[in-house]
Amino acid sequence: MSETASKALGAPAASPDAGRWKALVFIALAQLMVVLDATIVNIALPSAQQDLGISDGNRQWVVTAYALAFGGLLLFGGRIADLWGRKKAFVVGLGGFAVASALGGAATNEAMMFGARALQGVFGALLAPAALSLLAVMFTDAKERAKAFGIYGAIAGGGGAVGLILGGFLTEYLDWRWTFFVNIPFAIVAAAGAYFVIREPEGGRNRSPLDIPGVVLSTLGLVALVYGFTRAESEGWSDSVTVSMFVASAVLLATFVIVESRVKAPLLPLRVITERNRGGVYLSLGLAIIAMFGLFLFLTYYLQIVKGYSPVKTGFAFLPMIVGMITGSTQIGTRLMTRVAPRLLMGPGFLVAALGMLLLTRLEIGSSYAALLLPAMLLLGLGMGTAFMPAMSLSTQGVEPRDAGVASAMVNTSQQVGGAIGTALLNTIAASATTSYIADHIAGAGSRSQQQLVQLEGMVEGYTSAIWFAVGILVVAAAIALTFVNAGRPGSATVTGSGSGEGVADEVQIPVVAH
């Protein structure tokens, strides 16, 4: 048994930091900023494209530059947080993100915009794992941990929809540049608060030398994977560059795993991902994000193009999902997490979300918002909020303090890769179904108005075809959560092994949370 585990099992837990709840406010604010940024810029993209003269072929790089830097550097960012200390990494990440946001808002050409977005991704990759790992090491009491992760899970799940509302407001009533500038006050307040309030527990750093081969292989492998899916969306799955990216990613990531199993101080200790509970969380969470990202995309298009909603009205239309997520995370998940095993929240949560998704397969041009979209989004939010909360907590539960940053980075990596896959895969399915529908029906449309109707019907047909796949993906996520995640409820006597052969305590009972 490791020294850390022995201490966790035998010694009384250290007294919790008195300022931990104040710290949570600033950690949550920073997380909201990062999650908002994933969707807020999408609303502003058409206006920014026009102002900066970005071509249709290049506009995807406003999103892709951020995704590549963020997704590719997350593991490295998590390891830096373990090396420097999470508080320092958190504050530096916030400062860098604010500077990058200022550059984006002040962009005068496409090169400046793409560079600013990539820089946001770099500092986001440092900030996101530092935020989650701070929660992991600061909240060690069962009920407190449940509340803290309930708030964090609600923000992680619902922040994207809030971004749609805020992005719509800023773009419609101010200027697209404010979708960048709005990050600056968020970052300043969060950084100042963190600097004065956060007291990181001692002895949790990993001062081993950096695993440079691991950094290079993981970064290039993840960048190739995310770019492969991003390119597949625009150029198709059979495109030679797309295929070569997937092949390169597979080779690089396989080599990365081999290297990590042999080096003395790995970037990603395999014990972090081979423990069945964490492995189940990473996999099921990634799948759920695939379904969610595709849904955001389709519903945004459906509401704006088919129903004719304005950006602001579209953002408000997502409010039931946000309410559902907050309720599921802070009320259902938080209240039940200390009473039932995590899998009994995650599995049913994903199934409730799948039921909401199933309702959306009935979408038609004239579908009623109140009768169909509202209940579907409420179910989706409730299910995802209920599942996200124990998943976020369990992803860092029982991990050694020196690995908290990299374990947190794996949560963000599974979400980022899931988002890239979801957008590309479901978009491809939708586009194929739309093309097929229009080809079959356009010949019978005589007038221009009939042709436009067929095109709209084709779009909705594409969305519902892709949503069927999303339903299946959520059911698989539920099955994985119920099968892989076997941790007992907090306070139970069940101890599960780490899967690493090192005997690290992965118990979910709170005196044994190894922090």
Side-chain angles (χ1 to χ4, degrees), residues 346-406:
M346 290 174 64
F350 288 137
L351 289 175
V352 169
L355 183 60
M357 200 76 83
L358 187 64
L359 285 178
L360 290 173
T361 60
R362 299 171 55 202
L363 266 186
E364 296 174 354
I365 288 178
S367 291
S368 162
Y369 177 84
L372 182 64
L373 291 166
L374 178 64
M377 284 199 273
L378 274 173
L379 286 171
L380 268 162
L382 277 171
M384 286 296 196
T386 302
F388 268 37
M389 188 256 153
M392 290 288 182
S393 179
L394 198 58
S395 65
T396 52
Q397 192 100 44
V399 76
E400 295 184 43
R402 62 191 173 127
D403 296 333
V406 80

Side-chain angles (χ1 to χ4, degrees), residues 146-429:
K147 288 178 184 175
F149 277 90
I151 294 166
Y152 187 90
I155 290 170
V162 176
L164 294 172
I165 298 173
L166 191 57
F169 259 111
L170 293 173
T171 304
E172 204 164 315
Y173 296 116
L174 290 173
D175 184 76
W176 66 265
R177 295 182 185 277
W178 282 97
T179 61
F180 287 89
F181 291 145
V182 74
N183 290 328
I184 299 171
F186 273 98
I188 290 171
V189 171
Y195 183 79
F196 290 109
V197 171
I198 289 177
R199 299 286 180 270
E200 187 179 349
E202 293 294 325
R205 292 195 192 180
N206 183 346
R207 300 183 187 275
S208 305
L210 268 180
D211 168 23
I212 300 300
V215 170
V216 173
L217 288 167
S218 67
T219 301
L220 292 178
L222 288 169
V223 164
L225 183 64
V226 173
Y227 183 58
F229 280 110
T230 304
R231 189 175 173 88
E233 184 187 354
S234 57
E235 304 299 326
W237 295 89
S238 59
D239 173 69
S240 58
V241 177
T242 302
V243 173
S244 64
M245 283 293 122
F246 286 136
V247 172
S249 174
V251 172
L252 287 163
L253 292 177
T255 308
F256 170 68
V257 171
I258 294 168
V259 168
E260 297 308 274
S261 67
R262 297 181 179 179
V263 296
K264 187 177 179 181
L267 173 70
L268 175 63
L270 297 183
R271 62 180 174 266
V272 171
I273 55 174
T274 53
E275 196 276 311
R276 66 181 290 166
N277 288 294
R278 282 192 291 276
V281 165
Y282 299 147
L283 195 54
S284 61
L285 205 56
L287 286 169
I289 293 293
I290 290 176
M292 282 295 289
F293 261 68
L295 179 77
F296 272 134
L297 189 72
F298 299 140
L299 278 187
T300 301
Y301 281 135
Y302 174 80
L303 292 169
Q304 289 195 12
I305 297 174
V306 179
K307 304 295 272 186
Y309 283 21
S310 68
V312 172
K313 191 176 179 182
T314 299
F316 276 107
F318 279 98
L319 269 179
M321 191 183 296
I322 301 172
V323 171
M325 281 194 177
I326 292 171
T327 304
S329 192
T330 62
Q331 299 303 311
I332 301 172
T334 300
R335 291 174 188 274
L336 294 181
M337 188 181 155
T338 54
R339 301 177 187 178
V340 301
R343 68 178 179 275
L344 298 180
L345 289 172
M346 290 174 64
F350 288 137
L351 289 175
V352 169
L355 183 60
M357 200 76 83
L358 187 64
L359 285 178
L360 290 173
T361 60
R362 299 171 55 202
L363 266 186
E364 296 174 354
I365 288 178
S367 291
S368 162
Y369 177 84
L372 182 64
L373 291 166
L374 178 64
M377 284 199 273
L378 274 173
L379 286 171
L380 268 162
L382 277 171
M384 286 296 196
T386 302
F388 268 37
M389 188 256 153
M392 290 288 182
S393 179
L394 198 58
S395 65
T396 52
Q397 192 100 44
V399 76
E400 295 184 43
R402 62 191 173 127
D403 296 333
V406 80
S408 303
M410 274 303 301
V411 181
N412 288 285
T413 301
S414 68
Q415 290 178 303
Q416 186 65 24
V417 172
I421 295 171
T423 304
L425 177 64
L426 297 180
N427 213 24
T428 304
I429 293 166

Side-chain angles (χ1 to χ4, degrees), residues 61-62 65-66 69 100 103-104 107 109-122:
W61 284 100
V62 176
Y66 178 84
L103 288 173
N109 54 51
E110 63 178 33
M112 190 172 171
M113 170 61 79
F114 299 157
R117 287 292 282 161
L119 201 59
Q120 278 186 315
V122 170

